[in-house]
Amino acid sequence: QLQASGGGLVQAGGSLRLSCTASGRTYAMGWFRQAPGKEREFVAAISWNGGSTNYADSVKGRFTASRDNAKNTLYLQMNSLEPEDTAVYFCAGRLYSSVASRTSSDYDYWGQGTQVTVSS
C-alpha cells in the first residue's frame, strides 16, 4: 500500500515536495500525474537504490525524484512550478523489478493521489 502526501496550492515559480510512503518493500518507484480531461502521464521514476532515474521531458531540470529506503519513502521535489503542472499526482511501485520504467502498466500498485494546483 502506498500513501501519497504533500500536495497543495502554490503560485507559479514556487516549490512543493511530495512524499509517498510504502507499507512494505518496493523496488522501482515512480510518479505519474493526471490533469482534468487528460490521460495519466509519466513524471519521474527511480530505481531501488536511487542510482537510476528517469524524467519526462516536461519536468527535467525542475523536478527531482529521490527515496529513503530506511523509511520506505519516495519523494518528488518540484521546483519552478508552472500552471501546466496542475494535476493529481500518483505514486506507484514495482514489486519485482528495479527498472525505473516510464510505463504505467509496469507498476504493480498505486497510491491514492495528491492534488497539486499551480496558480498563474
Side-chain angles (χ1 to χ4, degrees):
Q1 185 177 359
L2 300 175
Q3 182 74 35
S5 62
L9 173 64
V10 63
Q11 288 188 332
S15 299
L16 281 175
R17 188 176 81 154
L18 305 183
S19 299
C20 175
T21 301
S23 58
R25 179 173 177 168
T26 58
Y27 287 95
M29 299 187 76
W31 289 100
F32 292 78
R33 66 187 182 187
Q34 187 166 18
K38 295 186 177 182
E39 294 186 353
R40 188 173 298 187
E41 64 174 1
F42 168 75
V43 176
I46 187 168
S47 61
W48 180 78
N49 65 0
S52 176
T53 54
N54 205 343
Y55 295 96
D57 289 344
S58 60
V59 307
K60 201 171 294 184
R62 299 188 298 122
F63 290 11
T64 302
S66 62
R67 63 191 297 168
D68 183 341
N69 288 338
K71 297 180 180 179
N72 286 337
T73 302
L74 168 72
Y75 302 101
L76 184 68
Q77 178 66 44
M78 305 186 294
N79 299 327
S80 302
L81 283 160
E82 303 168 353
E84 293 73 22
D85 296 317
T86 295
V88 177
Y89 283 69
F90 298 90
C91 57
R94 302 188 74 177
L95 290 174
Y96 307 110
S97 173
S98 189
V99 174
S101 173
R102 305 167 67 97
T103 304
S104 60
S105 59
D106 285 341
Y107 290 82
D108 300 294
Y109 62 115
W110 294 77
Q112 84 289 1
T114 184
Q115 176 71 46
V116 172
T117 303
V118 184
S119 63
S120 58

